[in-house]
Each structure stands twice: as structure tokens, then as C-alpha cells.
Amino acid sequence: MEKYQFEPYPEKVRQISGLEEFPATGAFIYIFHADKVPPHIGLSVDGLFYSLKAKGADIGLKTDKINEIIHRKKIPALIIKLNLQLPAPSEVEKIFLAYGTFLQNGKTCLNPIDELIFGNVSHRKIGDLLKSLNVKDCIESIYIVNTGTAYKGIPDYSADEIEKRIFELQC
């Protein structure tokens, strides 16, 4: 039996037929390749997307463009609407840029998002962040996209698997 570090809460799951129906404003966590070990995480604030990646960063991209890529490439994703106020996009950009333009020195894609939401880096895995958000009642809804009916949640993984994947992507 496979173990999951996060399973979407059924009462918060919202079905949509296409990303054109997706809300444009607010704060969202994007989890790409939600069925892989490890998945990737990004953040959208008021229609602008931010993500720190192994070989670069997405800073202030239009969220509509990200949604189109998810749809066109059929990327399994969770998009989580947050029930909290995040700083303005200019402040979000400053936090992301403070981490550099790519993952380095043991940093992960989760770090700037964790700092923005909780004020410090206290979570090692995406599932831990999502569980903390749920305890604080900060998850308004969860959109599950391109996963198929067998999808159960984010598979469990170790910190070593995160480091290994970052290394593979950088090489």
C-alpha cells in the first residue's frame, strides 16, 4: 500500500471542467507533477506566478500562462486556493529574488513560499506545509487537475529524494 504525505480533503475539493473557469484573483499554491516524487511547488498572488526552480526562477509570470501550460501539457497538478492575505506581488518578488535565480545551497522550491506564509522556513516537505495550512484553516479549496480518477494524494518522499531530484535537474 502506497503512503501519502498529503491527501486532498474531500470537503475542500472543487471540480472544474477547464482552467478557463479557474478564479483569477487571490493567493494560490500550485503543486506540479502532484503524482511524482517529489512534486514542484509555486505560488500565485493576484494573477502573478512565482517559482524557484533548479535551473531558474519564474518571477511575476501571468498565472493564465501557467494555467495554459498545465492544460496543454496535461500536467497533473493541485491548485490550492488559500484563505489568507499574502503580501503584494512586489513584496513576494523580493522574497523570491532573495533566494537567488535558481536552487542552490540546500534550498528548495518550498522555502520562499514557506517564508511568505509562515514568516520562516519551517517545513521540509509540501505535505507538511499543506497540513499546517489546513490546521490553521487557510485552505479554502483544492482544484485537482489532470490526475485521473485513481489519484489519492501527494506520495510520501524523503529529504534525500528532494536533494537527489534537484541535483538531477541541475545536471
Side-chain angles (χ1 to χ4, degrees), residues 43-58:
L43 180 72
S44 172
V45 178
D46 294 334
L48 297 174
F49 180 80
Y50 305 87
S51 175
L52 189 56
K53 301 183 297 189
K55 290 187 173 183
D58 293 329

Side-chain angles (χ1 to χ4, degrees), residues 44-112:
S44 172
V45 178
D46 294 334
L48 297 174
F49 180 80
Y50 305 87
S51 175
L52 189 56
K53 301 183 297 189
K55 290 187 173 183
D58 293 329
I59 304 294
L61 297 179
K62 295 280 187 188
T63 303
D64 289 345
K65 180 179 178 178
I66 301 303
N67 291 344
E68 189 274 322
I69 290 168
I70 289 170
H71 181 70
R72 183 173 34 85
K73 293 185 174 184
K74 297 183 177 15
I75 297 170
L78 297 180
I79 305 172
I80 298 164
K81 182 164 179 41
L82 299 176
N83 184 21
L84 56 86
Q85 187 68 34
L86 288 177
S90 60
E91 190 61 30
V92 172
E93 185 172 321
K94 285 180 192 175
I95 298 285
F96 269 85
L97 289 174
Y99 281 86
T101 56
F102 62 94
L103 294 175
Q104 55 190 339
N105 302 326
K107 305 292 187 219
T108 72
C109 55
L110 178 59
N111 295 149

Side-chain angles (χ1 to χ4, degrees), residues 2-151:
E2 191 166 7
K3 188 174 161 188
Y4 300 97
Q5 64 170 281
F6 177 78
E7 297 177 56
Y9 310 105
E11 69 277 7
K12 300 209 177 190
V13 171
R14 302 291 178 262
Q15 296 296 328
I16 55 175
S17 60
L19 287 172
E20 65 277 355
E21 299 174 38
F22 190 71
T25 60
F28 298 87
I29 289 176
Y30 277 68
I31 301 168
F32 301 91
H33 305 288
D35 56 343
K36 302 283 189 250
V37 171
H40 177 66
I41 188 169
L43 180 72
S44 172
V45 178
D46 294 334
L48 297 174
F49 180 80
Y50 305 87
S51 175
L52 189 56
K53 301 183 297 189
K55 290 187 173 183
D58 293 329
I59 304 294
L61 297 179
K62 295 280 187 188
T63 303
D64 289 345
K65 180 179 178 178
I66 301 303
N67 291 344
E68 189 274 322
I69 290 168
I70 289 170
H71 181 70
R72 183 173 34 85
K73 293 185 174 184
K74 297 183 177 15
I75 297 170
L78 297 180
I79 305 172
I80 298 164
K81 182 164 179 41
L82 299 176
N83 184 21
L84 56 86
Q85 187 68 34
L86 288 177
S90 60
E91 190 61 30
V92 172
E93 185 172 321
K94 285 180 192 175
I95 298 285
F96 269 85
L97 289 174
Y99 281 86
T101 56
F102 62 94
L103 294 175
Q104 55 190 339
N105 302 326
K107 305 292 187 219
T108 72
C109 55
L110 178 59
N111 295 149
I113 297 167
D114 201 9
E115 183 176 333
L116 278 159
I117 294 172
F118 289 99
N120 59 46
V121 177
S122 57
H123 299 92
R124 290 282 293 148
K125 299 192 279 186
I126 293 170
D128 297 335
L129 174 85
L130 296 177
K131 288 174 191 171
S132 292
L133 286 169
N134 192 57
V135 166
K136 293 180 176 279
D137 198 30
C138 293
I139 295 177
E140 184 175 311
S141 53
I142 302 171
Y143 300 89
I144 301 174
V145 184
N146 299 325
T147 60
T149 56
Y151 183 76

